[in-house]
């Protein structure tokens, strides 16, 4: 399946997925939390998969089937492996842009050492890079890269790419319990992400079945710590905890408002009171959400915050 969706994405709105990697799953990483499955071909050399014209034709066919309300905001390369392994990625992006729909690529950034990969990604309107580790040991633990890759080199190449990039650059960090959620790693991660200066840094948790059974969701307190550490560095940070709600404000539906906001960032108690007031709701709503294990409270630096309780997902 080359195209799928559109799926509702909080990052991109309605996103039509494009899988440009022909099976088996081919990737330069073998992340322990990967939801696509085990990396069968572990590779960091670019190769040819589908012809760009074929991808374009499949996308056009898919678009024709969609009604106006379901038309995608983005065409997104989110593959059965690492999309930049495809030698034809740039050509495919060029063709797809003829649809008038912006193109996004979700990448692990590990192939940016190749100028051709940088050039291809420059053509995309939105790019997200995976940054899960603050040091080389954690990188090996969580991403399990192919032997030829170099951690520092990837980080330098992300910055080189960013310097010439005209589109929207984001980062995505998966937080896994006991693997990369230590205070030290989170602090190094925040420094690395700050140096990259993305438009938004997303913090994700493994809510879908991971390839390794030992992968567990992080404790809500550690996720909160990560958000606070990023926030202190003035990095615009949002959660991707699986709840693809609309953004904040108040809508009159206090349940949705609290869930939407806490899906994106911790909600401080004083802000919660204002929200309740605006929505004309009582505090019992908060108790009800806590009792249903939809949110939980956390004390951080003397303030009470509310955060999504995603442990229902395990
Ligand atoms: S980089 Fe992406 S596709 Fe590759 S193993 Fe990691 S999560 Fe899976």
């Amino acid at each position: 399946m080359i195209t799928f969706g559109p799926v509702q994405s909080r990052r991109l709105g309605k996103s039509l997925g494009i899988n440009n990697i022909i099976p088996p799953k081919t990737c330069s990483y073998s992340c322990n939390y990967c939801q696509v499955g085990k990396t069968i071909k572990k590779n960091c050399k670019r190769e040819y998969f589908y012809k760009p014209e074929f991808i374009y034709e499949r996308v056009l066919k898919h678009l024709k089937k969609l009604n106006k309300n379901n038309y995608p905001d983005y065409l997104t390369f989110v593959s059965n492996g690492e999309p930049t392994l495809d030698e034809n990625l740039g050509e495919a992006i060029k063709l797809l842009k003829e649809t008038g729909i912006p193109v996004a690529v979700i990448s692990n950034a590990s192939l940016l050492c190749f100028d051709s990969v940088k050039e291809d990604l420059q053509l995309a309107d939105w790019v997200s890079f995976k940054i899960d580790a603050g040091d080389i040991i954690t990188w090996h633990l969580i991403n399990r890269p192919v032997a030829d890759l170099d951690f520092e080199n990837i980080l330098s190449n992300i910055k080189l790419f960013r310097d010439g990039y005209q589109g929207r650059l984001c980062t995505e960090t998966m937080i896994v319990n006991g693997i990369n959620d230590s205070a030290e790693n989170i602090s190094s991660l925040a420094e690395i992400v700050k140096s990259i200066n993305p438009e938004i840094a997303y913090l994700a948790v493994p809510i879908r079945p991971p390839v390794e059974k030992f992968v567990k969701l992080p404790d809500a307190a550690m996720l909160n710590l990560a958000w606070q550490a990023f926030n202190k560095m003035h990095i615009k940070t949002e959660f991707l905890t699986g709840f693809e709600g609309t953004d904040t404000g108040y809508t009159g539906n206090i349940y949705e408002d609290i869930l939407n906001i806490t899906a994106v960032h911790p909600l401080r108690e004083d802000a919660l009171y204002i929200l309740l007031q605006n929505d004309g709701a009582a505090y019992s709503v908060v108790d009800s959400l806590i009792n249903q294990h939809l949110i939980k409270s956390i004390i951080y630096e003397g303030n009470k915050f509310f955060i999504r309780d995603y442990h229902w997902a395990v």
Side-chain angles (χ1 to χ4, degrees), residues 25 27 29-31 33-34 36 39 79 81-82 108 130:
K25 182 194 162 195
C27 194
Y29 283 0
S30 186
C31 303
Y33 59 79
C34 185
V36 183
T39 300
S79 310
E82 169 52 34
N108 66 19
K130 177 186 299 303

Side-chain angles (χ1 to χ4, degrees), residues 159-220:
K159 287 175 209 159
L160 279 176
F161 171 80
R162 176 218 49 208
D163 289 345
Y165 186 50
Q166 303 291 317
R168 299 173 60 198
L169 178 67
C170 297
T171 60
E172 189 168 325
T173 301
M174 182 70 85
I175 307 282
V176 177
N177 192 336
I179 305 285
N180 68 341
D181 64 345
S182 67
E184 296 74 34
N185 189 60
I186 283 169
S187 160
S188 314
L189 268 170
E191 275 174 33
I192 289 172
V193 172
K194 175 74 185 168
S195 71
I196 291 165
N197 193 25
E199 180 181 306
I200 301 179
Y202 290 101
L203 294 175
V205 296
I207 52 153
R208 300 192 183 92
V211 69
E212 302 291 0
K213 285 204 170 63
F214 61 77
V215 166
K216 298 280 178 251
L217 290 161
D219 191 84

Side-chain angles (χ1 to χ4, degrees), residues 119-134:
E119 284 159 18
D120 287 356
L121 288 177
Q122 297 280 358
L123 299 167
D125 301 280
W126 186 98
V127 170
S128 173
F129 290 137
K130 177 186 299 303
I131 301 172
D132 296 331

